[in-house]
Amino acid sequence: MTRENKPTNEPVMEVRNITKEFPGVKALDDVSVKFYPGEVHAVVGENGAGKSTLMKVMAGAYIADEGDVLLQGEKVQFPHPQVAQEQGVSIIYQELNLLPERTVAQNIFLGREPSRFGLVDSRALNEATLDVLERLDSEDTISPSAMLNTLSVAEQQIVEIAKAISFDSKVLIMDEPTAALSSNEVDILVRLVERLKARGIALIFISHRLKEVFDLADKITVLKDGQLVDTVNPKDVNTGDVIHMMVGRELNQFFPPLAEPGDIGDTVLSISDGANDFLKNINLELRAGEIVGVSGLQGSGRTELAEALFGAEPFKQGTLEINGLNTPVRSPAQAIKLNMGFVTEDRKSQGIFPNQSLRDNMLVTVRALQRLLAQVKRDGVRKNPDLVPTLGEQVDVRASGYDQEVQYLSGGNQQKVVLAKWLAPDTEVLIFDEPTRGIDVEAKASIHEMIRDLAKQGAAIMMVSSELPEIVGMSDRIIVMWDGTITGELPAKSSEAEIMVLATGYENGDKKDAELVMESKS
Amino acid sequence: MTALSLENIQKRLRTSRIPPVYLMLVAILVVSLVLDQIYGRGQMIDPTILTNILVRSVALGIVAIGQTFVMIAASIDLSVAYLISVTAVMSSFLMQGDPARVPMAVAVVFGIGALVGLVNGLIITKLKVNAFIATLGTGLILKGALNASFSNFTGAVPESFQTLGYGRWGPVPISIIVLFAIAIVAGFVLYRTKFGAHLYGIGGNEVVARLSGLRTDRVVIIAHIVCSMSAVMTGLFVVSRLRSGAPWIGPDGLYDLESIAAVVVGGTALSGGVGSVAGTLAGVVIFGILDTAFNQLGVDTFLKSVLRGAIIILAVASYTIRSRREAS
């Protein structure tokens, strides 16, 4: 490896005194940051702190009201993301922006297909794709002619990165690159980042996962309310310091206290020998007042377990008992009648009606239980007109009113509306799938507190999460899944390492697969 | 070597990537021929009748290929039926049976087609009107304009022009050659050109396409011009068969809904991003075989309609069942 790639003192990109205002909000206020080649620079802050706005200004999606963007010492103006990309500044958004029904090569070079007289030169296209994949050391695992929808999420992310660097990027911006990845997929990404770093590319990423930030970043920039708090070296600070900078108050208590032995009541739901197309051998009990954390890698069946219990993808075998009675749940409608609730993983497509009001969103479960011709009044419910305001206060949602459309709320507030929807009927069993994904620190803490309160009031709770700290911090009991089955049950406060051993299938007696998993991690 | 056991074949069918429309085409052809042998007059196996199936498919085939373009881009065109009427009426009206006037008439109708496609595309991309409503609107405008000016068969095409509809090149009908030529050009444009790649991109995800630097509006507008041009070609073919155009021939031929049905049966997703010319042609030929088989077997007209409807639903259901299986 040549030495010329080592970080120099010249920033490759710099923002100076950037200010950007939207109607009613100052999204960025006099922010100045320098980004150096071969450096991983994390940008952290609560939702609404201005991280995404800053990234979009740098990538040409927004134009700053005041201040300058400098690329290699020269002032630049990007009227369109395309221009930024051509000059070497690429951005990867949180949602994958790829076409599932097209090949890897077609995706990477969409809009820039090598061509002669308008005809796509497929040989040149394949060669160029191989070349880009080689730079990421992925030419053996990803074929240029593979259909995108046959790849795993992590592989798709590699394709997205390949697309970005195919512009000969000097600066690569990633908005929450790991949000959709499981732990060992994150490791693949980490190795990629190392490679890109060695090539002298300046990497900038936004993340809500502070552990990752500390593992990866050479510099951390903290934003708060549109202002720059500081740019620090992770060696000089610890997680607590950074959180302090982000929220301006010490969050020494991340999680509410666990349940006392006396808080846990009778078994509300139990499944024995449950199985369907995705799951096998499921034995599980949920008890009143207890939070059961479900951990596992992507594809381990953790979401499928939640869907099976809620009747979305029902169990085909096994005995499901609710309050001691044999009750097979065949559909979500039936589950709701049995006082079950399910806060889904994908809020946008499965949790909310974005263009309907807070009120209608909160009342949808109550209305599902009513007769078809039940009268709907303006306040939503006839017998209990205070229901909506009560729910709103209970979940502490911040909105201009209950008639506001939910799409205009922040992610955290949307999640609170989803929660309110399940609190509306008297829910006894609540299933959460990734309850705090993509939500800022403060909203996260308040949602954790709400989940604990629900348990205290006697609900049986199952919480699926890919974030190990969340599992360890919240669970009174932890179950770990691997390959569609439960590989073990751990007591509260077990270590992340213990969970990972079970999640990689080591205890399952199938050493071969487990070793493969471990190998791909090293 | 793998044994050709029944189980093996089943497994292969289940895992093959051959779109179900081709299997369906073969199945329908075989079943039709067998039924014809048992209950009909047993004439369907005759090459002339089989060729006739193709000739009958030409009119629908050409416009369905155009429809494939817009539907891959996640758009749709409901105005084609009225544009076919406009083309047929205008061309026979302008030609007045005079071979010398043919080039002028053809130029005029293609001009009208390009204009209609451009207007459709502009309404959809610039005014952001849903494609269904936009093309329904332009279709109704064409219908009104046509009915205000013409009420019956008007003018005639010269005999030489009817070669398009009835001529043969050796044993092969010219119309079939025309259809296949158009299909090959269309396939080439879709699979081998940047325009084609961009169409699939836009249909797959418009946001992705725009962020990748595609000028999405322009591509969608061109797709609509292509689709309208294909309707004009169908119109010219129809009038060459009928000798004269009347305002009702487009809507009576159900070219709008049938072209959409053929495209969807052929594997193009209504949501865009996937689809092929070969699939569309297979869809069109399935309809042709059904028509012929029903005629040979003397099936009641109303029952025909019921069976066609059922087959369209079955075909589309087979795609969703397959993609669900692939997803799991």
Side-chain angles (χ1 to χ4, degrees), chain A residues 12-13 55-60 69-71 76 78 80-92 164 167-173 202 204:
Chain A
V12 58
M13 196 168 191
M55 299 299 109
K56 284 182 177 165
V57 166
M58 292 174 65
V69 178
L70 284 83
L71 189 62
V76 283
F78 301 136
H80 189 267
Q82 200 60 25
V83 181
Q85 208 158 42
E86 277 155 17
Q87 296 195 26
V89 182
S90 290
I91 183 162
I92 297 174
F167 287 90
D168 283 321
S169 308
K170 302 180 199 80
V171 178
L172 181 59
I173 303 167
I204 304 165

mmCIF file of all heavy atoms in Angstrom, chain A residues 12-13 55-60 69-71 76 78 80-92 164 167-173 202 204:
data_model
loop_
_atom_site.group_PDB
_atom_site.id
_atom_site.type_symbol
_atom_site.label_atom_id
_atom_site.label_comp_id
_atom_site.label_asym_id
_atom_site.label_seq_id
_atom_site.Cartn_x
_atom_site.Cartn_y
_atom_site.Cartn_z
ATOM 1 N N VAL A 12 -10.556 18.044 2.180
ATOM 2 C CA VAL A 12 -11.035 17.856 0.819
ATOM 3 C C VAL A 12 -12.334 18.641 0.631
ATOM 4 O O VAL A 12 -12.635 19.155 -0.428
ATOM 5 C CB VAL A 12 -11.220 16.362 0.486
ATOM 6 C CG1 VAL A 12 -12.183 15.703 1.449
ATOM 7 C CG2 VAL A 12 -11.693 16.170 -0.943
ATOM 8 N N MET A 13 -13.072 18.739 1.731
ATOM 9 C CA MET A 13 -14.328 19.476 1.647
ATOM 10 C C MET A 13 -14.527 20.262 2.928
ATOM 11 O O MET A 13 -14.107 19.844 4.005
ATOM 12 C CB MET A 13 -15.488 18.508 1.448
ATOM 13 C CG MET A 13 -16.746 19.193 0.963
ATOM 14 S SD MET A 13 -17.977 18.018 0.408
ATOM 15 C CE MET A 13 -19.120 19.124 -0.380
ATOM 16 N N MET A 55 -26.044 17.488 5.313
ATOM 17 C CA MET A 55 -25.613 16.540 4.289
ATOM 18 C C MET A 55 -26.198 16.923 2.934
ATOM 19 O O MET A 55 -25.547 16.843 1.903
ATOM 20 C CB MET A 55 -26.074 15.118 4.654
ATOM 21 C CG MET A 55 -25.530 14.572 5.949
ATOM 22 S SD MET A 55 -23.749 14.448 5.962
ATOM 23 C CE MET A 55 -23.314 15.738 7.101
ATOM 24 N N LYS A 56 -27.468 17.341 2.952
ATOM 25 C CA LYS A 56 -28.126 17.667 1.681
ATOM 26 C C LYS A 56 -27.550 18.938 1.075
ATOM 27 O O LYS A 56 -27.472 19.066 -0.144
ATOM 28 C CB LYS A 56 -29.641 17.800 1.889
ATOM 29 C CG LYS A 56 -30.295 16.444 2.024
ATOM 30 C CD LYS A 56 -31.785 16.528 2.171
ATOM 31 C CE LYS A 56 -32.389 15.118 2.232
ATOM 32 N NZ LYS A 56 -33.755 15.124 2.716
ATOM 33 N N VAL A 57 -27.138 19.876 1.911
ATOM 34 C CA VAL A 57 -26.468 21.074 1.393
ATOM 35 C C VAL A 57 -25.159 20.664 0.725
ATOM 36 O O VAL A 57 -24.825 21.099 -0.373
ATOM 37 C CB VAL A 57 -26.210 22.092 2.531
ATOM 38 C CG1 VAL A 57 -25.231 23.166 2.074
ATOM 39 C CG2 VAL A 57 -27.517 22.732 2.973
ATOM 40 N N MET A 58 -24.415 19.750 1.393
ATOM 41 C CA MET A 58 -23.130 19.333 0.841
ATOM 42 C C MET A 58 -23.295 18.570 -0.466
ATOM 43 O O MET A 58 -22.450 18.641 -1.351
ATOM 44 C CB MET A 58 -22.380 18.462 1.849
ATOM 45 C CG MET A 58 -21.931 19.236 3.082
ATOM 46 S SD MET A 58 -21.195 18.152 4.318
ATOM 47 C CE MET A 58 -19.753 17.588 3.445
ATOM 48 N N ALA A 59 -24.400 17.821 -0.583
ATOM 49 C CA ALA A 59 -24.581 16.977 -1.766
ATOM 50 C C ALA A 59 -25.373 17.669 -2.863
ATOM 51 O O ALA A 59 -25.660 17.076 -3.894
ATOM 52 C CB ALA A 59 -25.284 15.686 -1.364
ATOM 53 N N GLY A 60 -25.740 18.924 -2.645
ATOM 54 C CA GLY A 60 -26.418 19.671 -3.696
ATOM 55 C C GLY A 60 -27.923 19.488 -3.753
ATOM 56 O O GLY A 60 -28.561 19.951 -4.691
ATOM 57 N N VAL A 69 -19.682 26.432 0.495
ATOM 58 C CA VAL A 69 -19.224 25.048 0.439
ATOM 59 C C VAL A 69 -17.940 25.054 -0.374
ATOM 60 O O VAL A 69 -17.904 25.610 -1.475
ATOM 61 C CB VAL A 69 -20.275 24.142 -0.234
ATOM 62 C CG1 VAL A 69 -19.766 22.715 -0.315
ATOM 63 C CG2 VAL A 69 -21.585 24.193 0.534
ATOM 64 N N LEU A 70 -16.866 24.479 0.195
ATOM 65 C CA LEU A 70 -15.587 24.455 -0.513
ATOM 66 C C LEU A 70 -15.200 23.029 -0.828
ATOM 67 O O LEU A 70 -15.267 22.150 0.044
ATOM 68 C CB LEU A 70 -14.474 25.088 0.334
ATOM 69 C CG LEU A 70 -14.473 26.613 0.417
ATOM 70 C CD1 LEU A 70 -15.448 27.085 1.484
ATOM 71 C CD2 LEU A 70 -13.083 27.120 0.718
ATOM 72 N N LEU A 71 -14.819 22.779 -2.072
ATOM 73 C CA LEU A 71 -14.324 21.477 -2.471
ATOM 74 C C LEU A 71 -12.882 21.666 -2.896
ATOM 75 O O LEU A 71 -12.601 22.429 -3.814
ATOM 76 C CB LEU A 71 -15.183 20.922 -3.621
ATOM 77 C CG LEU A 71 -14.934 19.475 -4.006
ATOM 78 C CD1 LEU A 71 -15.242 18.528 -2.870
ATOM 79 C CD2 LEU A 71 -15.775 19.110 -5.222
ATOM 80 N N VAL A 76 -17.684 26.110 -4.297
ATOM 81 C CA VAL A 76 -18.507 25.457 -5.309
ATOM 82 C C VAL A 76 -19.973 25.710 -5.006
ATOM 83 O O VAL A 76 -20.353 26.019 -3.871
ATOM 84 C CB VAL A 76 -18.272 23.919 -5.339
ATOM 85 C CG1 VAL A 76 -16.974 23.581 -6.033
ATOM 86 C CG2 VAL A 76 -18.305 23.343 -3.934
ATOM 87 N N PHE A 78 -23.573 23.671 -5.954
ATOM 88 C CA PHE A 78 -24.202 22.540 -6.622
ATOM 89 C C PHE A 78 -25.685 22.832 -6.820
ATOM 90 O O PHE A 78 -26.453 22.784 -5.860
ATOM 91 C CB PHE A 78 -24.049 21.263 -5.784
ATOM 92 C CG PHE A 78 -22.618 20.887 -5.505
ATOM 93 C CD1 PHE A 78 -22.257 20.474 -4.232
ATOM 94 C CD2 PHE A 78 -21.661 20.934 -6.505
ATOM 95 C CE1 PHE A 78 -20.952 20.104 -3.962
ATOM 96 C CE2 PHE A 78 -20.356 20.567 -6.242
ATOM 97 C CZ PHE A 78 -20.003 20.165 -4.962
ATOM 98 N N HIS A 80 -27.732 20.959 -8.323
ATOM 99 C CA HIS A 80 -28.487 19.707 -8.435
ATOM 100 C C HIS A 80 -27.570 18.588 -7.933
ATOM 101 O O HIS A 80 -26.359 18.666 -8.137
ATOM 102 C CB HIS A 80 -28.844 19.488 -9.921
ATOM 103 C CG HIS A 80 -29.794 18.349 -10.138
ATOM 104 N ND1 HIS A 80 -29.355 17.082 -10.414
ATOM 105 C CD2 HIS A 80 -31.127 18.284 -10.116
ATOM 106 C CE1 HIS A 80 -30.402 16.290 -10.549
ATOM 107 N NE2 HIS A 80 -31.495 16.995 -10.369
ATOM 108 N N PRO A 81 -28.119 17.538 -7.286
ATOM 109 C CA PRO A 81 -27.263 16.456 -6.786
ATOM 110 C C PRO A 81 -26.380 15.864 -7.877
ATOM 111 O O PRO A 81 -25.259 15.418 -7.610
ATOM 112 C CB PRO A 81 -28.260 15.413 -6.279
ATOM 113 C CG PRO A 81 -29.494 16.152 -5.996
ATOM 114 C CD PRO A 81 -29.521 17.324 -6.929
ATOM 115 N N GLN A 82 -26.883 15.873 -9.104
ATOM 116 C CA GLN A 82 -26.127 15.315 -10.217
ATOM 117 C C GLN A 82 -24.783 16.031 -10.388
ATOM 118 O O GLN A 82 -23.753 15.411 -10.621
ATOM 119 C CB GLN A 82 -26.971 15.470 -11.486
ATOM 120 C CG GLN A 82 -26.562 14.553 -12.611
ATOM 121 C CD GLN A 82 -26.682 13.101 -12.199
ATOM 122 O OE1 GLN A 82 -27.463 12.780 -11.301
ATOM 123 N NE2 GLN A 82 -25.903 12.242 -12.800
ATOM 124 N N VAL A 83 -24.799 17.357 -10.236
ATOM 125 C CA VAL A 83 -23.588 18.149 -10.405
ATOM 126 C C VAL A 83 -22.586 17.808 -9.301
ATOM 127 O O VAL A 83 -21.387 17.627 -9.555
ATOM 128 C CB VAL A 83 -23.929 19.661 -10.383
ATOM 129 C CG1 VAL A 83 -22.664 20.478 -10.591
ATOM 130 C CG2 VAL A 83 -24.967 19.983 -11.435
ATOM 131 N N ALA A 84 -23.079 17.697 -8.079
ATOM 132 C CA ALA A 84 -22.204 17.342 -6.958
ATOM 133 C C ALA A 84 -21.565 15.989 -7.212
ATOM 134 O O ALA A 84 -20.370 15.793 -7.002
ATOM 135 C CB ALA A 84 -23.015 17.307 -5.660
ATOM 136 N N GLN A 85 -22.379 15.053 -7.694
ATOM 137 C CA GLN A 85 -21.891 13.705 -7.939
ATOM 138 C C GLN A 85 -20.795 13.705 -8.998
ATOM 139 O O GLN A 85 -19.777 13.042 -8.854
ATOM 140 C CB GLN A 85 -23.061 12.839 -8.415
ATOM 141 C CG GLN A 85 -22.901 11.399 -8.083
ATOM 142 C CD GLN A 85 -24.238 10.690 -8.073
ATOM 143 O OE1 GLN A 85 -25.080 10.912 -8.938
ATOM 144 N NE2 GLN A 85 -24.459 9.832 -7.112
ATOM 145 N N GLU A 86 -20.993 14.491 -10.057
ATOM 146 C CA GLU A 86 -19.980 14.550 -11.109
ATOM 147 C C GLU A 86 -18.672 15.145 -10.604
ATOM 148 O O GLU A 86 -17.602 14.841 -11.098
ATOM 149 C CB GLU A 86 -20.513 15.353 -12.307
ATOM 150 C CG GLU A 86 -21.372 14.493 -13.219
ATOM 151 C CD GLU A 86 -22.372 15.300 -14.023
ATOM 152 O OE1 GLU A 86 -22.205 16.531 -14.120
ATOM 153 O OE2 GLU A 86 -23.328 14.691 -14.540
ATOM 154 N N GLN A 87 -18.769 16.019 -9.581
ATOM 155 C CA GLN A 87 -17.545 16.618 -9.049
ATOM 156 C C GLN A 87 -16.963 15.816 -7.892
ATOM 157 O O GLN A 87 -16.013 16.252 -7.249
ATOM 158 C CB GLN A 87 -17.817 18.057 -8.618
ATOM 159 C CG GLN A 87 -18.206 18.909 -9.809
ATOM 160 C CD GLN A 87 -18.119 20.386 -9.497
ATOM 161 O OE1 GLN A 87 -17.366 20.812 -8.642
ATOM 162 N NE2 GLN A 87 -18.915 21.174 -10.200
ATOM 163 N N GLY A 88 -17.554 14.653 -7.613
ATOM 164 C CA GLY A 88 -16.949 13.761 -6.637
ATOM 165 C C GLY A 88 -17.581 13.756 -5.265
ATOM 166 O O GLY A 88 -16.994 13.266 -4.306
ATOM 167 N N VAL A 89 -18.782 14.301 -5.137
ATOM 168 C CA VAL A 89 -19.468 14.252 -3.844
ATOM 169 C C VAL A 89 -20.730 13.410 -4.018
ATOM 170 O O VAL A 89 -21.665 13.809 -4.706
ATOM 171 C CB VAL A 89 -19.844 15.658 -3.342
ATOM 172 C CG1 VAL A 89 -20.519 15.571 -1.979
ATOM 173 C CG2 VAL A 89 -18.609 16.541 -3.276
ATOM 174 N N SER A 90 -20.742 12.220 -3.421
ATOM 175 C CA SER A 90 -21.888 11.325 -3.554
ATOM 176 C C SER A 90 -22.586 11.161 -2.219
ATOM 177 O O SER A 90 -21.960 11.227 -1.168
ATOM 178 C CB SER A 90 -21.435 9.948 -4.034
ATOM 179 O OG SER A 90 -21.020 10.006 -5.368
ATOM 180 N N ILE A 91 -23.896 10.927 -2.295
ATOM 181 C CA ILE A 91 -24.655 10.711 -1.059
ATOM 182 C C ILE A 91 -25.476 9.439 -1.187
ATOM 183 O O ILE A 91 -26.010 9.135 -2.248
ATOM 184 C CB ILE A 91 -25.546 11.933 -0.738
ATOM 185 C CG1 ILE A 91 -26.281 11.746 0.591
ATOM 186 C CG2 ILE A 91 -26.522 12.224 -1.869
ATOM 187 C CD1 ILE A 91 -26.814 13.028 1.191
ATOM 188 N N ILE A 92 -25.503 8.670 -0.106
ATOM 189 C CA ILE A 92 -26.334 7.472 -0.050
ATOM 190 C C ILE A 92 -27.412 7.731 0.984
ATOM 191 O O ILE A 92 -27.110 7.982 2.145
ATOM 192 C CB ILE A 92 -25.509 6.236 0.334
ATOM 193 C CG1 ILE A 92 -24.458 5.976 -0.733
ATOM 194 C CG2 ILE A 92 -26.407 5.036 0.515
ATOM 195 C CD1 ILE A 92 -23.500 4.871 -0.371
ATOM 196 N N ALA A 164 -22.222 4.838 -5.852
ATOM 197 C CA ALA A 164 -21.706 6.139 -5.407
ATOM 198 C C ALA A 164 -20.242 6.316 -5.810
ATOM 199 O O ALA A 164 -19.859 7.359 -6.340
ATOM 200 C CB ALA A 164 -21.873 6.280 -3.902
ATOM 201 N N PHE A 167 -18.599 7.202 -9.443
ATOM 202 C CA PHE A 167 -18.411 8.582 -9.901
ATOM 203 C C PHE A 167 -17.017 9.098 -9.538
ATOM 204 O O PHE A 167 -16.772 10.295 -9.597
ATOM 205 C CB PHE A 167 -19.450 9.510 -9.262
ATOM 206 C CG PHE A 167 -20.829 9.337 -9.810
ATOM 207 C CD1 PHE A 167 -21.702 8.431 -9.238
ATOM 208 C CD2 PHE A 167 -21.262 10.081 -10.892
ATOM 209 C CE1 PHE A 167 -22.978 8.277 -9.741
ATOM 210 C CE2 PHE A 167 -22.535 9.931 -11.390
ATOM 211 C CZ PHE A 167 -23.396 9.028 -10.819
ATOM 212 N N ASP A 168 -16.133 8.192 -9.083
ATOM 213 C CA ASP A 168 -14.827 8.602 -8.589
ATOM 214 C C ASP A 168 -14.968 9.599 -7.456
ATOM 215 O O ASP A 168 -14.399 10.693 -7.483
ATOM 216 C CB ASP A 168 -13.973 9.212 -9.714
ATOM 217 C CG ASP A 168 -13.408 8.114 -10.600
ATOM 218 O OD1 ASP A 168 -13.019 7.072 -10.045
ATOM 219 O OD2 ASP A 168 -13.379 8.301 -11.817
ATOM 220 N N SER A 169 -15.756 9.210 -6.473
ATOM 221 C CA SER A 169 -16.047 10.136 -5.378
ATOM 222 C C SER A 169 -14.808 10.446 -4.567
ATOM 223 O O SER A 169 -13.985 9.576 -4.311
ATOM 224 C CB SER A 169 -17.089 9.525 -4.449
ATOM 225 O OG SER A 169 -18.184 9.108 -5.193
ATOM 226 N N LYS A 170 -14.700 11.679 -4.172
ATOM 227 C CA LYS A 170 -13.706 12.064 -3.187
ATOM 228 C C LYS A 170 -14.364 12.103 -1.813
ATOM 229 O O LYS A 170 -13.725 11.928 -0.792
ATOM 230 C CB LYS A 170 -13.144 13.440 -3.511
ATOM 231 C CG LYS A 170 -12.505 13.542 -4.878
ATOM 232 C CD LYS A 170 -11.981 14.954 -5.094
ATOM 233 C CE LYS A 170 -11.752 15.265 -6.553
ATOM 234 N NZ LYS A 170 -12.989 15.631 -7.279
ATOM 235 N N VAL A 171 -15.660 12.381 -1.831
ATOM 236 C CA VAL A 171 -16.413 12.488 -0.584
ATOM 237 C C VAL A 171 -17.641 11.605 -0.705
ATOM 238 O O VAL A 171 -18.378 11.682 -1.687
ATOM 239 C CB VAL A 171 -16.856 13.947 -0.329
ATOM 240 C CG1 VAL A 171 -17.668 14.048 0.939
ATOM 241 C CG2 VAL A 171 -15.650 14.870 -0.287
ATOM 242 N N LEU A 172 -17.820 10.725 0.275
ATOM 243 C CA LEU A 172 -18.981 9.841 0.267
ATOM 244 C C LEU A 172 -19.779 10.064 1.550
ATOM 245 O O LEU A 172 -19.270 9.892 2.649
ATOM 246 C CB LEU A 172 -18.523 8.382 0.167
ATOM 247 C CG LEU A 172 -19.609 7.319 0.130
ATOM 248 C CD1 LEU A 172 -20.544 7.525 -1.044
ATOM 249 C CD2 LEU A 172 -18.992 5.933 0.049
ATOM 250 N N ILE A 173 -21.033 10.488 1.366
ATOM 251 C CA ILE A 173 -21.888 10.784 2.517
ATOM 252 C C ILE A 173 -22.906 9.660 2.674
ATOM 253 O O ILE A 173 -23.531 9.264 1.705
ATOM 254 C CB ILE A 173 -22.631 12.120 2.302
ATOM 255 C CG1 ILE A 173 -21.624 13.246 2.056
ATOM 256 C CG2 ILE A 173 -23.528 12.435 3.481
ATOM 257 C CD1 ILE A 173 -22.260 14.519 1.539
ATOM 258 N N ALA A 202 -12.950 10.670 1.678
ATOM 259 C CA ALA A 202 -13.494 11.209 2.925
ATOM 260 C C ALA A 202 -14.890 10.641 3.116
ATOM 261 O O ALA A 202 -15.746 10.783 2.252
ATOM 262 C CB ALA A 202 -13.551 12.733 2.854
ATOM 263 N N ILE A 204 -18.358 10.404 5.323
ATOM 264 C CA ILE A 204 -19.143 11.136 6.315
ATOM 265 C C ILE A 204 -20.394 10.316 6.559
ATOM 266 O O ILE A 204 -21.059 9.923 5.608
ATOM 267 C CB ILE A 204 -19.520 12.523 5.768
ATOM 268 C CG1 ILE A 204 -18.253 13.276 5.357
ATOM 269 C CG2 ILE A 204 -20.316 13.312 6.800
ATOM 270 C CD1 ILE A 204 -18.533 14.478 4.498
#
